[in-house]
Amino acid sequence: MEIWCIIRWDHAKCIVYLIARPHRACALYHLFTFIPEYFDQLITTRGCTGLKVKQNGAHGKGVYADVDFREGDLVLKDQMLAGSQHSANKIDCLVCSFCFRFIGTIEVQIGRKLYLQDLGVAANNECDRQTLAHIPKKTCQINSSDSEDGSYVKDPTSMEECASTSSKYGTPLPKEIVESLMNGELVLPYSKQFPLPSVISCLGGCREAFYCSQLCAEADWDLFHSLLCTGARSKSSDKEALLKFLQHANETNDIFLLAAKVVSFTILKYRKLKASYPEDQGKCTADKCDLSLLSEAWKPVSMGYKIRWWECIALPDDVDSCDEAAFRMQIKELAFTSLQLLKAAIFDKECEPYAAFLSNSDLVVASPVEDYFLYIDDLPQSEKKEAERVTRPVLDALGDDYSICCQGTAFFPLQSCMNHSCHPNARAFKREEDRDGQATIVALRSISKGEEVTISYIDEDLPFEERQAMLADYGFRCQCQKCLEEEP
């Protein structure tokens, strides 16, 4: 049975107005059609002027080289419009809620993760309320080392011998050692070689969002977080409804958190646009506003919009293809429930016609904890042996997952315009200097001026049939040269 969304039913004409392609004579035609100038400006702000976004007859639009690129050249650094860290990943990584840089210290990253693992804390908004609150000082004995930097426990062997609660992740550390890592009493050897930005709290007073700088805190507040904050200074119209939305997202699919940020972005931008039009000009009244302003606020998202999420989400392995329609209906129901909860929490009445559809990509930021342990492993043997008296028990406690990176989902305006090929000439690749959540695209081989820049949405080394099956979730059958040559 078809699910009818109240928002869409009550505002059917408005929804058509917002997502349909207007006639050329319409004043809003430029908001919904391909606009080279819009993307030219976007590329300029990214500092990668060697690209052009052009109309592509087969795929709508594509990204093309405007200069020659050599193998390994940086093609694009794309700043996300909105991004969200996966809920489960918040146990493993403490990152800036705006740019997704790792924050705190190596010790805080390790101690916080071990603390949460030992507690068996669920990945929810309670994580940082518990771990970043003041932790009383314990009796763990610390002594400054004569080595280059770092502090050592007086008797390092005690780290292995002391009792501790059980941990399924690795050999457990004593509780007082874990707490000393978090509160700064214990400094690991050579950790100062991997400095991280200090932790800045949320402007609204919640204990769920943290930042690498005041600049990121203010930007996130202005663009997204002021409506989604659960703190005392939140601008949410119904904090209880907001908490219900967050709980629903964490229990079902955390992509709804990203969708909420996109919705918040649009509403806040719309409010700013509305405030810039005096009421006496007839553009806006206290209760309603011309839809052109809502359309303008929605434009950055509409430029990257491709398909509704529930129509393209990959079919799980345990769902038979004959049950696909029922599965997608269930996902659509989840999305509808999420939107209703979000509507109660942050929507203005005049913004009800708005619905968030976005094309998303993976958000990945490499962990400095992995870099730290690799650094220790590469030390000269004498220094390595001394350092590992402290670091080995810590690494054993972390277990195999010590190197988990920050993972999430984000909407990248320019990367979302890049089309797929099973024989791509570029790929998303984090270089050594890429330490935030921006998408980094590098050339896999030489790309000539005028050639389309393509990336692979899947593992392009898979057999032909498997590639086509995976790409079906994206709503198309690949017709690249590689597929044409391999097709039976």
Side-chain angles (χ1 to χ4, degrees):
M1 183 174 66
E2 179 71 14
I3 299 297
W4 287 98
C5 172
I6 295 172
I7 294 178
R8 294 175 62 185
W9 177 259
D10 291 347
H11 301 273
K13 292 183 179 179
C14 297
I15 293 298
V16 170
Y17 184 82
L18 283 171
I19 66 174
R21 185 181 297 273
H23 188 271
R24 284 184 176 272
C26 175
L28 293 183
Y29 178 78
H30 70 285
L31 293 179
F32 295 90
T33 54
F34 173 73
I35 311 174
E37 294 79 11
Y38 172 83
F39 288 106
D40 288 346
Q41 182 180 6
L42 203 59
I43 289 169
T44 299
T45 63
R46 301 301 192 261
C48 296
T49 55
L51 297 173
K52 284 282 187 182
V53 179
K54 300 179 182 179
Q55 196 75 357
N56 182 312
H59 306 107
K61 56 181 174 286
V63 179
Y64 292 80
D66 203 36
V67 297
D68 292 332
F69 290 102
R70 296 172 299 178
E71 180 180 347
D73 281 353
L74 174 66
V75 175
L76 171 66
K77 283 274 286 186
D78 195 12
Q79 183 177 345
M80 70 185 73
L81 177 68
S84 178
Q85 185 181 11
H86 289 321
S87 298
N89 187 249
K90 293 178 181 178
I91 287 180
D92 298 304
C93 307
L94 176 62
V95 299
C96 174
S97 297
F98 185 71
C99 74
F100 300 93
R101 292 179 185 271
F102 279 76
I103 54 179
T105 63
I106 293 294
E107 290 81 5
V108 166
Q109 291 287 338
I110 294 173
R112 174 181 173 277
K113 178 174 180 175
L114 292 175
Y115 181 78
L116 291 172
Q117 287 179 356
D118 204 44
L119 285 178
V121 173
N124 57 32
N125 292 331
E126 293 297 316
C127 289
D128 290 314
R129 286 180 182 158
Q130 296 185 51
T131 58
L132 293 181
H134 175 69
I135 299 175
K137 293 185 178 180
K138 300 295 182 180
T139 57
C140 180
Q141 298 296 314
I142 311 293
N143 185 34
S144 296
S145 168
D146 293 330
S147 65
E148 186 174 322
D149 86 281
S151 298
Y152 290 76
V153 181
K154 276 188 176 180
D155 181 6
T157 60
S158 65
M159 294 178 68
E160 299 177 87
E161 295 171 356
C162 291
S164 172
T165 53
S166 63
S167 170
K168 65 179 181 179
Y169 292 89
T171 306
L173 280 178
K175 184 178 179 181
E176 61 268 22
I177 296 293
V178 173
E179 293 184 349
S180 294
L181 285 168
M182 287 194 294
N183 64 26
E185 287 184 339
L186 173 58
V187 180
L188 295 173
Y190 302 99
S191 64
K192 291 180 182 178
Q193 301 290 333
F194 300 87
L196 300 176
S198 299
V199 179
I200 304 297
S201 297
C202 164
L203 299 182
C206 75
R207 297 292 293 173
E208 298 150 15
F210 298 92
Y211 303 93
C212 67
S213 66
Q214 191 68 22
L215 187 64
C216 277
E218 292 172 356
D220 195 36
W221 184 259
D222 290 340
L223 292 173
F224 311 104
H225 191 61
S226 57
L227 290 180
L228 302 174
C229 178
T230 58
R233 292 182 289 280
S234 171
K235 294 182 180 180
S236 167
S237 56
D238 189 333
K239 200 178 299 183
E240 183 177 348
L242 178 60
L243 290 172
K244 289 180 179 178
F245 163 77
L246 294 173
Q247 181 180 0
H248 176 266
N250 283 312
E251 291 177 352
T252 56
N253 194 310
D254 57 17
I255 196 173
F256 297 139
L257 300 176
L258 175 60
K261 294 187 79 168
V262 175
V263 171
S264 179
F265 168 84
T266 303
I267 291 175
L268 290 171
K269 186 173 182 180
Y270 163 73
R271 289 178 181 176
K272 291 177 183 177
L273 289 171
K274 179 179 177 181
S276 68
Y277 285 93
E279 291 185 17
D280 57 11
Q281 290 186 8
K283 192 75 174 178
C284 299
T285 67
D287 299 323
K288 65 179 181 178
C289 187
D290 191 291
L291 279 174
S292 62
L293 295 186
L294 188 57
S295 302
E296 179 68 26
W298 162 251
K299 183 169 69 172
V301 183
S302 69
M303 288 295 175
Y305 164 70
K306 291 182 179 178
I307 190 171
R308 292 178 179 87
W309 171 68
W310 57 79
E311 294 174 356
C312 67
I313 185 173
L315 202 64
D317 293 336
D318 59 349
V319 176
D320 194 271
S321 58
C322 64
D323 297 324
E324 180 175 354
F327 167 76
R328 298 203 182 281
M329 183 59 68
Q330 290 177 341
I331 296 298
K332 186 176 180 179
E333 290 180 25
L334 282 179
F336 169 67
T337 300
S338 177
L339 184 60
Q340 294 302 302
L341 293 171
L342 186 63
K343 172 191 171 185
I346 70 173
F347 270 40
D348 292 331
K349 181 175 178 57
E350 56 197 297
C351 289
E352 285 185 356
Y354 170 74
F357 305 112
L358 62 156
S359 174
N360 56 78
S361 300
D362 291 335
L363 165 66
V364 178
V365 183
S367 170
V369 175
E370 178 181 21
D371 294 338
Y372 169 72
F373 284 113
L374 290 175
Y375 179 88
I376 295 297
D377 192 54
D378 288 338
L379 287 171
Q381 190 58 36
S382 59
E383 297 176 28
K384 176 182 176 180
K385 183 177 181 180
E386 180 67 18
E388 284 189 336
R389 295 177 64 200
V390 175
T391 62
R392 175 53 62 180
V394 174
L395 183 58
D396 289 343
L398 289 171
D400 294 336
D401 293 336
Y402 77 96
S403 61
I404 288 181
C405 56
C406 171
Q407 298 172 347
T409 308
F411 174 44
F412 297 98
L414 286 173
Q415 184 185 355
S416 69
C417 296
M418 290 185 172
N419 290 313
H420 165 84
S421 172
C422 293
H423 185 55
N425 54 23
R427 65 166 175 162
F429 177 76
K430 290 288 187 181
R431 304 166 300 170
E432 183 65 29
E433 62 266 33
D434 299 319
R435 294 295 176 177
D436 59 17
Q438 294 186 75
T440 306
I441 307 296
V442 298
L444 282 173
R445 58 180 185 273
S446 296
I447 305 175
S448 302
K449 181 178 180 180
E451 183 180 352
E452 183 175 8
V453 178
T454 58
I455 57 177
S456 180
Y457 299 171
I458 59 169
D459 181 358
E460 65 269 25
D461 293 326
L462 291 172
F464 170 79
E465 293 296 344
E466 290 186 37
R467 297 201 309 271
Q468 294 295 344
M470 294 183 70
L471 290 169
D473 292 321
Y474 291 88
F476 67 90
R477 183 173 180 83
C478 185
Q479 299 274 320
C480 71
Q481 188 62 38
K482 180 177 179 180
C483 286
L484 292 177
E485 292 174 357
E486 294 182 4
E487 186 170 11

